[in-house]
Amino acid sequence: MKLGVNDKLTEIEAIAVNNTYYVPLRTLAAELKWTLTGLADGISVTAGNKSVFLLSAGKGLKLRDGSIVAVSTFLKNGSLMVPLKISSYLGYSITFQGDKYLLRVRDALAVMSDDDFVKRFGDKLKPQTASLPAPAASAAVKGRTLYLTFDDGPSATTAQLLDILDKYEAQATFFMLGPNMNRYPAQVKRLVKADHGLGLHGMTHVKDKFYASPAAALAEMAADNAVLKKITGAETTLIRPPYGSKPYFTKSFRDKVLTQGYHLWDWNVDSEDWRYKEDSDKIYNSVMNQVHKLQPSKTNPVILMHDQKATLKVLPRLLETFKKEGYSFAVITKDLKPLNFWNDER
């Protein structure tokens, strides 16, 4: 169902789940000119002189008087979906008339009555068939779900990278290096808070050290995970060895590491941003050519990019094209069948 805001019918689609309407928080905030501030334990939502605090991990909505209201949230196509009733705590009134397909949020700026609103927009008030988003563990839509992955971070420009992803409501998976996480802990916390995917890339990124022995590789991944846990309290079983798993991550390495519960991920689209750096056209064309080659087989693209300044230049253009071509963004989880160059499904 399309959401009405004051005297305007927006393109915001409200989804009904268990008799509650949910909307994408960032899109609604942009429409109503709310200010969103990400903090360590949630998101502050401010409208004029009113504010509420959306606690992380589904712990509810904290009001100004300190009371907590139970609300549930979920991710849909990379967007955080929140109950529309959040707006009522910020001074807005909500009208719902199911027989007229009317769902409207308004404040003192609204001039039209609900009846006038229905008359004005008439046939444009159409119901939308919607359902709960698929759980993260379920299979993604074949050929139309895209997995963005970023190696080597975090970096001095991770905040800008995350801003771009936020703008396009895109989720990504970050394969991070332990020393870099120690250098930029605030960005690691932000990744976790924004529900991006977490992966391990080791500690040294030095071939002779990481691949010195299977035990050395395992030790680097374990140390990397320990850094992640120290900073965020979170751990992950997703790994990507330096330079990808071929040719160095041979069976002896996989047997040593994967039997400890880790899952090996490579990619099927190499952006070559590591090669072309500032040449955005070459990176863009390389990515799109590879993505299009996967379409006939309905293979979901897993794109290798790097957390570096040069990548920021081409990323918005890629995200715009992906959205136009109907792709949705998802994060890699431990429940997905691993994609790697050895076809090792452990």
Side-chain angles (χ1 to χ4, degrees):
M1 179 177 291
K2 287 187 177 180
L3 178 67
V5 172
N6 286 330
D7 297 333
K8 173 185 177 182
L9 182 62
T10 73
E11 293 301 315
I12 298 173
E13 293 287 350
I15 296 175
V17 180
N18 296 329
N19 298 315
T20 298
Y21 277 98
Y22 289 80
V23 293
L25 175 60
R26 289 190 179 278
T27 308
L28 181 64
E31 187 68 46
L32 295 174
K33 297 184 170 50
W34 292 349
T35 299
L36 302 182
T37 306
L39 300 172
D41 54 348
I43 302 172
S44 173
V45 185
T46 303
N49 61 355
K50 296 181 182 292
S51 65
V52 293
F53 194 77
L54 185 64
L55 297 167
S56 58
K59 294 180 180 177
L61 187 71
K62 187 175 182 179
L63 307 183
R64 269 195 165 179
D65 63 4
S67 60
I68 296 178
V69 179
V71 298
S72 60
T73 62
F74 59 87
L75 286 174
K76 183 177 188 296
N77 295 335
S79 297
L80 179 64
M81 306 294 289
V82 299
L84 184 60
K85 70 179 182 180
I86 283 179
S87 61
S88 66
Y89 298 105
L90 293 168
Y92 295 81
S93 62
I94 302 173
T95 302
F96 173 65
Q97 296 179 21
D99 59 331
K100 298 177 181 177
Y101 308 130
L102 174 67
L103 182 65
R104 186 183 180 202
V105 175
R106 59 180 179 170
D107 59 14
L109 296 176
V111 175
M112 300 170 66
S113 69
D114 288 331
D115 286 342
D116 288 341
F117 191 91
V118 171
K119 290 177 183 177
R120 168 69 178 80
F121 294 104
D123 293 339
K124 293 182 179 179
L125 297 173
K126 296 292 185 180
Q128 299 292 323
T129 303
S131 60
L132 274 168
S138 65
V141 178
K142 274 194 165 186
R144 285 298 167 188
T145 300
L146 187 147
Y147 298 92
L148 295 167
T149 70
F150 294 90
D151 284 9
D152 298 351
S155 71
T157 54
T158 300
Q160 294 170 259
L161 173 57
L162 293 175
D163 288 343
I164 294 171
L165 294 174
D166 284 348
K167 178 181 178 181
Y168 290 91
E169 298 183 333
Q171 297 296 105
T173 303
F174 289 77
F175 290 92
M176 296 178 285
L177 293 164
N180 288 352
M181 286 194 281
N182 278 326
R183 195 170 296 122
Y184 302 100
Q187 301 310 324
V188 184
K189 292 176 182 177
R190 183 178 171 186
L191 285 168
V192 172
K193 188 189 311 177
D195 292 317
H196 290 292
L198 304 174
L200 307 173
H201 203 39
M203 297 294 289
T204 64
H205 212 290
V206 175
K207 184 183 72 173
D208 291 342
K209 291 183 178 180
F210 185 91
Y211 295 105
S213 69
L218 177 59
E220 283 209 21
M221 291 305 185
D224 199 8
N225 221 359
V227 174
L228 177 62
K229 186 175 182 180
K230 178 190 70 175
I231 294 171
T232 67
E235 294 179 280
T236 183
T237 59
L238 307 178
I239 66 169
R240 176 175 285 165
Y243 312 107
S245 68
K246 268 195 176 181
Y248 308 113
F249 210 64
T250 56
K251 187 176 186 302
S252 61
F253 281 84
R254 300 198 306 278
D255 287 346
K256 182 71 172 181
V257 178
L258 303 187
T259 54
Q260 298 303 307
Y262 291 108
H263 306 290
L264 175 64
W265 280 82
D266 287 306
W267 56 86
N268 54 24
V269 175
D270 183 353
S271 70
E272 298 185 280
D273 58 351
W274 54 272
R275 181 197 305 274
Y276 296 127
K277 300 292 185 183
E278 298 290 343
D279 195 332
S280 295
D281 286 341
K282 284 189 176 180
I283 297 171
Y284 177 85
N285 291 331
S286 176
V287 170
M288 296 314 306
N289 286 339
Q290 292 174 73
V291 168
H292 290 157
K293 285 179 181 178
L294 293 174
Q295 287 178 347
S297 63
K298 294 188 176 181
T299 300
N300 292 328
V302 178
I303 302 177
L304 168 67
M305 304 190 82
H306 291 82
D307 188 340
Q308 60 184 15
K309 184 178 180 180
T311 303
L312 302 177
K313 186 178 175 183
V314 70
L315 186 57
R317 184 180 173 192
L318 285 169
L319 295 178
E320 286 177 10
T321 302
F322 293 147
K323 285 207 161 190
K324 287 177 182 176
E325 294 192 1
Y327 284 98
S328 61
F329 305 97
V331 299
I332 297 172
T333 71
K334 64 182 178 63
D335 302 297
L336 295 175
K337 177 182 174 182
L339 170 76
N340 57 69
F341 301 142
W342 301 95
N343 298 316
D344 195 321
E345 297 183 7
R346 285 180 284 184

